[in-house]
Amino acid sequence: MKNSKFYVFLLAYIAWLVYHIFTDEAYPTYQGIRILSLFIFGFITARYYGCHIAEYFEFFVVRLTILALILWSVEVAIGPATMGGFAPFENRMHIYCKSFGLFSVVTKFNPSEYFLGIPRNSGFCWEAGQFASMIVLALTFHLLRTKEKFYKNKSFWILLAGLITTFSTTGFVTFGVLLLFKTVFGKVSFGKRIAYIAVLGTLYMYAMDLPFMREKMEAQSDITEFYTNSDNVWIDETGQRTVQRFEGMYLSWMNFMDSPWLGFGPNRDNSLVSKQFPMFIISNGNINPLAMLGLLLGLPLFILFYRGSCRLNQYLGDDKKYIIFMIFIFFSVSYNYLFDIIPLAIAFLSFDNKYEKEIC
């Protein structure tokens, strides 16, 4: 834990937390201490594993994806309801989701959870889009590590197969961006660049015709379909619902503009949107963290993550330092991972110390 820059960061966070404890209406202490513990564990992870985080992450996601593909095949064969009947655990993140611990099953039919009657693969996450994001992050590490030979490694095909079974808009779009960075914008000959453009262009046209791609994106970006514009949503409504991606970013922006410098604090009940619509849950991880932390703390955290991801990028041997950061930002449109251990560990890789050579 000996690192002066990390202690400065912790003191800044504690000062921010104390401010909110004394000024916020809704109780923020529990949430604030939880985030503090995540910062500490994130730094310990960075200190212990260093840039080898990428290798370990890819190693385990590949093996968990193999397990997910096997169990998903069983789920397709016997049906989600039957599969869920064998699951020993409830999943607190999803009312109709059962869990085997390392594999989740959505037991109630929902059009968003199926593609052509086939259930989506949620893997070790509670939702298929989250599983897709984890796979794409592992694919990012894999492509950076193996460079132009990525397709010759079986790990690539295992991860790609897992990604396909998620039928995830977020996963497909982010993976497309990753391929674009590594092929068309990579260090390749003119002939290869033309070939890559032709292949990716063809794949793009076919992919956009899938119902969970173009139709879903158009529906989610339609302002008239926002929950906030719906006649059946009112301020005293009970229960909770997660708003869709574009509406979530819009609502996060409203929260940010309401408290731009110090944010709404650790407890989302203090945010402007939660006071007006207490049933709404915002899941994005690009604007939402800034709205919560404010510019004074949120912007430095994003800068730390950018610097740490650039350092990890260079360790993996890629000249484009920004790829990991860009991929993270793309799937953060849907999910907030900034306060998870792995992204925090990547952020804290940016702190220099006397053990730098051992860390990376």
Side-chain angles (χ1 to χ4, degrees), residues 15-254:
W16 174 84
L17 176 58
V18 169
Y19 165 79
H20 281 285
I21 288 174
F22 283 101
T23 59
D24 289 356
E25 296 177 18
Y27 193 66
T29 306
Y30 163 74
Q31 295 88 346
I33 293 176
R34 178 180 177 275
I35 294 173
L36 176 64
S37 69
L38 290 172
F39 286 153
I40 293 172
F41 284 120
F43 180 76
I44 292 173
T45 303
R47 176 66 187 85
Y48 189 81
Y49 291 101
C51 291
H52 297 293
I53 290 171
E55 299 161 35
Y56 282 108
F57 185 84
E58 180 191 336
F59 177 88
F60 284 108
V61 171
V62 167
R63 279 143 187 83
L64 289 172
T65 301
I66 293 173
L67 177 64
L69 287 169
I70 294 171
L71 294 177
W72 176 77
S73 299
V74 176
E75 179 186 351
V76 172
I78 68 176
T82 305
M83 187 75 168
F86 292 112
F89 306 115
E90 300 288 337
N91 194 319
R92 70 177 185 88
M93 297 296 290
H94 198 305
I95 189 173
Y96 299 115
C97 187
K98 303 293 184 179
S99 175
F100 289 89
L102 294 177
F103 183 76
S104 297
V105 181
V106 178
T107 57
K108 184 176 181 179
F109 177 81
N110 185 324
S112 66
E113 302 294 341
Y114 287 77
F115 171 66
L116 299 178
I118 304 173
R120 299 169 66 191
N121 191 347
S122 297
F124 57 85
C125 301
W126 65 268
E127 198 268 341
Q130 277 198 327
F131 184 38
S133 298
M134 295 298 95
I135 291 176
V136 171
L137 186 58
L139 279 166
T140 302
F141 295 153
H142 177 78
L143 266 64
L144 294 177
R145 182 176 59 82
T146 57
K147 301 176 177 60
E148 284 74 25
K149 305 296 183 182
F150 63 86
Y151 57 87
K152 294 185 178 181
N153 193 302
K154 63 181 180 181
S155 293
F156 171 78
W157 297 106
I158 292 170
L159 292 170
L160 182 61
L163 177 62
I164 291 173
T165 61
T166 64
F167 309 123
S168 167
T169 308
T170 300
F172 278 41
V173 170
T174 309
F175 181 60
V177 173
L178 174 62
L179 287 180
L180 194 66
F181 281 141
K182 287 300 295 176
T183 55
V184 177
F185 298 136
K187 285 186 175 180
V188 295
S189 64
F190 178 76
K192 282 188 175 181
R193 183 171 283 110
I194 296 299
Y196 285 140
I197 291 174
V199 172
L200 291 178
T202 303
L203 290 175
Y204 171 81
M205 288 187 291
Y206 278 106
M208 289 304 293
D209 285 334
L210 296 172
F212 59 88
M213 293 294 288
R214 187 193 306 275
E215 293 177 10
K216 187 174 180 180
M217 288 189 288
E218 289 177 350
Q220 291 186 3
S221 60
D222 186 355
I223 296 178
T224 61
E225 297 295 323
F226 283 6
Y227 283 134
T228 44
N229 292 328
S230 176
D231 293 333
N232 65 349
V233 175
W234 61 91
I235 194 167
D236 293 323
E237 182 179 354
T238 59
Q240 292 182 327
R241 59 182 69 182
T242 301
V243 298
Q244 297 296 344
R245 279 64 168 162
F246 296 103
E247 183 173 12
M249 288 190 289
Y250 165 70
L251 296 178
S252 292
W253 181 254
M254 289 177 58

Side-chain angles (χ1 to χ4, degrees), residues 292-306:
M292 187 188 83
L293 296 171
L295 276 177
L296 294 181
L297 193 62
L299 187 59
L301 183 58
F302 270 102
I303 292 174
L304 286 176
F305 182 79
Y306 173 75

